[in-house]
Amino acid sequence: MITLCTGAFVMALLPLGWLLLEGVRVGGRHLSWDFLAAGAVLPGLGSWGSAVAGSAAVVGIAVALGVPLGVGTGVYVTEFGRGLLGRMARVVCEALAGLPSILAGIAAYGLIMTTLGRFSVPAAGAALTVILVPLVALRTMEALEAVPRDVREAALALGLGETTTVLQVVMPVALPQVVAGILLATGRIVGETAPLLVTVFVVGGGAVGPAATLPTHIYAHAVSPLPSWEGEAWAGALLLMAAVSTLHAVSALIRTRRPSPRSHRLPTGV
Amino acid sequence: MAETMRTRALRVFFGDTEAVKAVDLEIHSAAVTAIIGPSGCGKSALLRALNRMHDGVRGVRVVGRIYLGDREIHDGGMDPVLLRTQVGMVFQRPNPFPAMSIRQNVTFAPRRHGMVRKGEESNLLEQVLRKTALWDEVKDRLHHPAASLSSGQQQRLCMARALAVGPQVLLMDEPTAALDPTATQRIEALIYELKRDITIVIVTHNMQQAARVSDRTAFLDDGRLVESGETERLFTNPAEERTEAYITGRFG
Ligand SMILES: Nc1ncnc2c1ncn2[C@@H]1O[C@H](COP(=O)(O)OP(=O)(O)O)[C@@H](O)[C@H]1O
Ligand SMILES: [Mg+2]
């Protein structure tokens, strides 16, 4: 049984390991400041640097919109939404979190691009927001629900109102978990390609127009037949992996941090 | 002796289950009233009705009247916030606010209620920490997290926190059930001190504790108030057979 489990684990790790090794082997050679600045071989195709900037802009929009919306939804559903609306909001979040990301892209495409009439950074930001909100909302709900009930009771028994209790007593306890969840969700959207392909994927571009992003730039290079481009795709993938891994590592650090070195454990039972 | 609180035909329902059945209880001023009875007999349900902790909890219904002084606490004119600052509560498990320091745990509520000016916070803090015999133990680390205290200290901090909003009545639901004997002894000593100033109602499943700390005892069985009266009388000369059976350990 144990051998089987170990085998399955190794099998699962193999592709990941190969990805990393191949990324470092093929892509590592290409990584440099020059690579970020130049790299545009064909006219109209932006540099890798512009792809990084494009990703930052798109993810930045999604985080700026999605974090307040997601945390707000999570707080509402857990703490105030006792009625039908609250239960519906939770179901919708769970459904949206499982939504294939291409659908988010198509939704953003339909809503924003048809009105603006072109590929754009805001449209891509909106598509990623649609993915981010339910993830952040679910993480917020989990974090708030993990706060012991007796903490809320203590606050209520002091005559503190529900809003004060939630925002100033319960939320600070849940905050590290919420932040960790936000980082994980951000890691997820940094690497999303599908919604970007239908919203922002076009060569070159400006602040609100079309732009390159890291995932789409990798895609463009990977599908090219030129071997040097393939190498650059690996280099881009390496950058992406580094970004996502950093977010995951910080998130894990926050989640596993011990609350307080001298905190006392209460006797259980009774 | 004057009554601080009294209940009339008080019933608490959890769904269709009647956990407290038509209880008429008198709670005397500046005294300790113990509520005893077997596990599940409705002690907590009764206690929590006294400061309306059942409010807004789905499936719970409270019927009957509860008076604080001469005011009915469910009266339209009675503000639940005001009620809870006058009738405070300490719980079975110490539950300090985890994200706050020792100091913040005590000062947060009085500050929110506008009961204390910024310059007077330290006075209030020292006063209630002295009342709960914590001052000497924590005065040098008021900014440490409350979680850094031992569980006995945490429970005394919870008492200090409750006292900081100036209640007339303090409700305690098995406050020593999660503590070791030494910590329990300290809490019992505090209860003895505190009753000079405020009225205390303590739920306990420990009859020795009831006998040690209380002036009056109410015996609850299956949601009904079987008997209540002076502790010494109730333990030495119970009026009801059921009470005698319980205190002599024949059930419960
Ligand atoms: N939230 C609840 N929902 C349903 N039944 C409950 C709830 N809380 C308590 N009860 C029931 O009400 C009765 C009294 O409970 P409780 O007051 O907690 O007892 P005690 O404190 O005396 O041990 C018990 O039978 C218990 O099972
Ligand atoms: Mg109980």
Side-chain angles (χ1 to χ4, degrees):
Chain A
M1 190 63 205
I2 291 178
T3 8
L4 233 115
C5 285
T6 319
F9 185 62
V10 171
M11 291 275 282
L13 279 183
L14 269 179
L16 199 67
W18 177 78
L19 205 66
L20 259 175
L21 284 179
E22 199 65 4
V24 173
R25 192 181 65 81
V26 186
R29 280 182 273 130
H30 291 265
L31 269 186
S32 69
W33 287 117
D34 282 351
F35 164 74
L36 283 179
V41 184
L42 286 183
L45 192 61
S47 66
W48 281 96
S50 75
V52 170
S55 265
V58 169
V59 171
I61 289 174
V63 168
L65 290 175
V67 166
L69 271 174
V71 172
T73 306
V75 169
Y76 172 77
V77 168
T78 321
E79 305 291 338
F80 304 105
R82 296 212 180 78
L84 187 65
L85 191 64
R87 268 173 291 155
M88 266 170 49
R90 180 187 291 263
V91 171
V92 168
C93 280
E94 274 159 9
L96 278 181
L99 196 75
S101 56
I102 183 77
L103 294 183
I106 291 170
Y109 181 89
L111 281 174
I112 296 181
M113 302 223 327
T114 51
T115 51
L116 290 177
R118 57 177 181 169
F119 288 103
S120 72
V121 169
L128 293 187
T129 305
V130 172
I131 301 171
L132 192 65
V133 168
L135 294 178
V136 170
L138 289 175
R139 290 284 176 166
T140 304
M141 290 176 211
E142 281 166 20
L144 288 171
E145 278 160 6
V147 177
R149 191 184 138 74
D150 53 6
V151 172
R152 295 159 215 267
E153 293 208 312
L156 295 177
L158 287 165
L160 297 169
E162 214 167 358
T163 312
T164 306
T165 301
V166 170
L167 297 185
Q168 292 189 259
V169 176
V170 177
M171 197 58 192
V173 184
L175 197 62
Q177 297 299 317
V178 172
V179 171
I182 290 171
L183 291 175
L184 276 186
T186 306
R188 156 98 192 269
I189 61 166
V190 165
E192 279 296 349
T193 324
L196 299 181
L197 285 176
V198 288
T199 50
V200 79
F201 175 50
V202 137
V203 291
V208 290
T213 60
L214 211 38
T216 57
H217 218 52
I218 294 168
Y219 177 74
H221 282 73
V223 296
S224 127
L226 299 172
S228 71
W229 278 39
E230 199 195 317
E232 290 197 7
W234 277 112
L238 208 57
L239 278 183
L240 192 58
M241 279 191 275
V244 175
S245 306
T246 307
L247 287 167
H248 276 244
V250 175
S251 170
L253 217 64
I254 295 174
R255 270 175 297 137
T256 56
R257 192 192 51 164
R258 286 162 54 94
S260 154
R262 288 186 305 138
S263 81
H264 258 80
R265 279 182 61 83
L266 291 172
T268 45
V270 192
Chain B
M1 221 184 238
E3 288 157 15
T4 301
M5 292 192 89
R6 83 203 133 87
T7 71
R8 285 294 172 265
L10 180 67
R11 298 166 195 275
V12 178
F13 295 88
F14 294 111
D16 295 331
T17 320
E18 194 175 4
V20 174
K21 298 167 181 165
V23 166
D24 293 341
L25 178 67
E26 260 82 58
I27 296 162
H28 290 203
S29 304
V32 178
T33 301
I35 300 176
I36 61 169
S39 176
C41 71
K43 304 181 295 295
S44 297
L46 168 59
L47 193 74
R48 294 164 68 85
L50 300 180
N51 69 341
R52 292 178 57 175
M53 286 299 283
H54 294 304
D55 277 26
V57 181
R58 209 196 301 195
V60 185
R61 200 156 51 91
V62 176
V63 182
R65 281 159 295 152
I66 301 173
Y67 297 91
L68 173 62
D70 50 15
R71 295 191 60 186
E72 211 291 315
I73 69 168
H74 302 99
D75 228 24
M78 179 64 107
D79 176 6
V81 171
L82 187 70
L83 172 68
R84 287 174 181 165
T85 59
Q86 305 208 330
V87 183
M89 189 166 234
V90 171
F91 299 80
Q92 180 166 341
R93 281 173 60 99
N95 55 358
F97 299 138
M100 293 188 195
S101 67
I102 294 167
R103 180 193 176 94
Q104 287 168 328
N105 259 276
V106 172
T107 58
F108 182 71
R111 188 190 298 176
R112 284 294 311 185
H113 293 317
M115 290 170 167
V116 63
R117 269 175 299 169
K118 201 116 199 168
E120 292 160 1
E121 269 181 26
S122 296
N123 288 340
L124 175 70
L125 181 68
E126 178 169 347
Q127 184 199 330
V128 294
L129 288 179
R130 278 194 192 282
K131 266 192 193 162
T132 50
L134 260 179
W135 177 250
D136 289 328
E137 293 165 42
V138 303
K139 63 170 187 270
D140 298 323
R141 48 177 174 139
L142 295 170
H143 294 283
H144 286 213
S148 66
L149 299 173
S150 74
S151 46
Q153 289 172 322
Q154 287 186 18
Q155 191 65 307
R156 279 183 281 140
L157 179 63
C158 291
M159 291 173 72
R161 178 178 66 183
L163 293 175
V165 294
Q168 309 176 40
V169 182
L170 188 61
L171 310 174
M172 308 180 86
D173 193 350
E174 305 201 32
T176 62
L179 305 181
D180 63 48
T182 315
T184 297
Q185 217 170 26
R186 301 205 64 166
I187 302 265
E188 287 182 6
L190 275 181
I191 291 172
Y192 198 82
E193 286 290 311
L194 288 174
K195 75 171 178 185
R196 280 184 303 183
D197 302 324
I198 67 173
T199 302
I200 293 173
V201 184
I202 179 173
V203 163
T204 175
H205 63 224
N206 178 333
M207 276 178 284
Q208 284 73 35
Q209 181 167 70
R212 282 194 301 265
V213 302
S214 73
D215 303 293
R216 296 179 61 82
T217 296
F219 170 54
L220 216 59
D221 185 29
D222 191 25
R224 285 179 212 288
L225 181 62
V226 176
E227 180 172 356
S228 70
E230 290 195 8
T231 298
E232 201 171 318
R233 201 274 302 153
L234 189 131
F235 277 98
T236 53
N237 188 17
E240 299 290 327
E241 232 173 273
R242 193 79 183 146
T243 313
E244 186 176 351
Y246 181 70
I247 60 178
T248 54
R250 271 183 277 145
F251 80 102

